[in-house]
Each structure stands twice: as structure tokens, then as C-alpha cells.
Amino acid sequence: MAQFQFVMRSGPTPGETFPLEGDQLVIGRDSANAIAINDAEISRKHARLNFQGGKYVIEDMGSTNGTFVNGQRLVGPVVLKPGDVVSLGEQIVLMYDVISLDSGATIASPRAAARMVAPPAQHQPVPPPVQTPTPAYSSSPAKKTNLMPFFIGGGVLLFICLCIAFFVWVDATYRWCVFFPFLSGC
């Protein structure tokens, strides 16, 4: 049996643990949220966690400062894995952790404890996460180039070239009167 949690690595209360219990949890500044973090950088309803297939899926709820997983800004839902680092804006950093509960054990221990890093001192600024687009996080299909303008332009260019070739041929073979009998002098 497993229990999931967030551990705050940096933010207003470093080291605070947020147990994840429920099928749908909202993270944000509003005190009515399942995970309430009182910080001006967080939107009232910042991100949502959905429990699906034994895993939590996180998605941004249109927050002002964005939600990031391992430095990548979310543009769609992402399945969380133990050890993932979730950033809300630039200053709030949470680590996603799984606690294995063994019914015969007397102590529950986090699996990812060895990967945990001590939270940075609060007075040190945390560098902003790198924002590079990654296809794995994209919810929209790749943008396709519309080729129709190229086909239309090519057709118009071909038509103009044929017209010029026709008039050069008519002029070279003195057939103006054959094709254009309405011209004076024919």
C-alpha cells in the first residue's frame, strides 16, 4: 500500500509535509483548497491533482505564474513520479514523494528519502526554472504548415509564364491577325 505526499523544499514553510488524500485535490492560496499555501506568488486555485490509475496527475488551472514539473512548464496534464519536483511560480518548490506502508512494519519510510536535498536557506533566491518546450508535455498536436498559398502562388506564376510564352510565339510567327482579328491593320 502506498501513500503520496508533497514536501515543501522552498517557500513559506520549508519542510512542511502535505499528505495527498483524495481523488481530486486543488493546490492554491485559498484556505478552502486541499493544499493551501499562503503566498502571493500562488493563484487562489493554482493547480489540480487527480488520482487516476493509482497515480496522481497534475495540471495547471490557468495560474498567473505557472506550474512546473522538473523545470518544464505544464501545458497539459502530467503524471507525477516519485522524486518529481513541482514548482508553483518561481519560489514555491514541492517534492512529490511516495511513502510505502508495510502492514508488518512499525515505521513508514519515504522511498525517495535518499534523493531529498536539504531545503535552501530562505534568504537565498531560487533561480527561475528553465522554460523549454517539450513535446511530452504538449497537449496539442504539432502545428502543420498550410501549403495552399504555395500551390496558388505557383499556379498564378505558371499562368503568367504561359501567357508571356504565348504572346512571344504569336509575335515571332506574325499571327496577331489570326488570334486577334479585331486589331487594326489586320
Side-chain angles (χ1 to χ4, degrees):
M1 188 168 143
Q3 181 180 355
F4 303 94
Q5 67 181 11
F6 275 134
V7 178
M8 185 175 289
R9 289 176 56 183
S10 69
T13 55
E16 183 176 359
T17 302
F18 300 95
L20 305 180
E21 298 168 350
D23 291 336
Q24 187 174 43
L25 307 169
V26 176
I27 304 170
R29 193 174 66 234
D30 191 330
S31 61
N33 292 327
I35 299 175
I37 301 172
N38 190 12
D39 190 278
E41 196 168 302
I42 296 184
S43 299
R44 282 188 295 271
K45 293 188 182 294
H46 196 96
R48 176 178 26 241
L49 290 166
N50 290 311
F51 193 69
Q52 299 173 354
K55 298 178 181 182
Y56 275 102
V57 178
I58 189 168
E59 61 184 316
D60 189 78
M61 294 179 71
S63 66
T64 303
N65 294 321
T67 303
F68 302 82
V69 173
N70 299 324
Q72 302 294 317
R73 187 174 189 138
L74 297 184
V75 293
V78 172
V79 176
L80 291 174
K81 297 177 292 308
D84 279 350
V85 176
V86 176
S87 302
L88 308 170
E90 294 181 9
Q91 301 297 322
I92 311 302
V93 179
L94 305 171
M95 190 177 91
Y96 180 72
D97 202 4
V98 178
I99 299 174
S100 295
L101 298 177
D102 183 358
S103 59
T106 56
I107 300 175
S109 63
R111 270 195 214 167
R115 288 193 299 256
M116 277 190 68
V117 178
Q122 241 176 333
H123 66 282
Q124 294 177 347
V126 176
V130 178
Q131 297 180 16
T132 54
T134 302
Y137 293 106
S138 179
S139 63
S140 62
K143 185 176 179 182
K144 294 183 180 179
T145 304
N146 185 3
L147 298 177
M148 188 59 71
F150 295 108
F151 288 123
I152 292 172
V156 168
L157 187 61
L158 180 63
F159 178 74
I160 291 171
C161 290
L162 289 175
C163 289
I164 290 171
F166 173 74
F167 285 116
V168 168
W169 176 73
V170 166
D171 192 46
T173 58
Y174 302 102
R175 298 190 180 186
W176 285 103
C177 290
V178 174
F179 290 102
F180 306 102
F182 55 86
L183 293 174
S184 61
C186 289

